[in-house]
């Protein structure tokens, strides 16, 4: 039997507390059987890969390009201010 997600709620968000007792037991068994291990060690940086050719635009990127061609540049997709974040990145 495949585990199933609870019915979608607001923004499709759900919490484990919303699961039934049976669903919680299934989820716990699934997690234990997957041999997942929590790690807090260093994670290697993501390396840039070689690309032999141009990558096609996603559907969303194509849509934005099309709208920009039809309507001109829109302020809806531009942020009028910058944000500077300081501190260590939570990996």
């Amino acid at each position: 039997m495949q585990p199933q997600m609870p019915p979608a709620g607001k923004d499709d968000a759900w919490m484990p507390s919303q699961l039934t007792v049976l669903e919680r037991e299934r989820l716990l068994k699934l997690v234990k059987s997957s041999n997942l291990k929590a790690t807090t060690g260093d994670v290697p940086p993501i390396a840039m890969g070689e690309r032999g050719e141009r990558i096609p635009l996603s559907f969303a990127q194509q849509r934005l390009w099309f709208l920009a061609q039809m309507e001109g540049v829109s302020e809806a997709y531009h942020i009028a201010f910058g944000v500077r974040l300081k501190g260590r990145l939570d990996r």
Side-chain angles (χ1 to χ4, degrees):
M1 179 182 285
Q2 290 289 336
Q4 295 182 0
M5 298 293 287
K10 181 181 178 187
D11 298 329
D12 292 337
W14 62 276
M15 298 294 296
S17 60
Q18 295 171 319
L19 298 174
T20 66
V21 174
L22 183 59
E23 289 170 331
R24 284 186 214 166
E25 289 175 2
R26 286 183 189 162
L27 181 59
L28 185 59
K29 285 181 184 178
L30 181 65
V31 170
K32 286 182 178 179
S33 68
S34 66
N35 295 323
L36 296 176
K37 296 179 183 176
T39 60
T40 58
D42 291 332
V43 177
I46 298 173
M48 183 185 300
E50 293 294 323
R51 302 199 189 258
E53 57 189 53
R54 294 183 96 171
I55 298 173
L57 297 176
S58 70
F59 179 74
Q61 291 169 320
Q62 291 177 27
R63 177 182 172 273
L64 288 174
W65 179 87
F66 179 78
L67 291 175
Q69 302 306 305
M70 298 297 291
E71 301 173 359
V73 177
S74 169
E75 294 180 12
Y77 295 103
H78 295 85
I79 300 173
F81 60 90
V83 176
R84 178 170 296 200
L85 303 175
K86 293 184 178 181
R88 184 172 167 83
L89 177 64
D90 182 12
R91 295 183 183 192

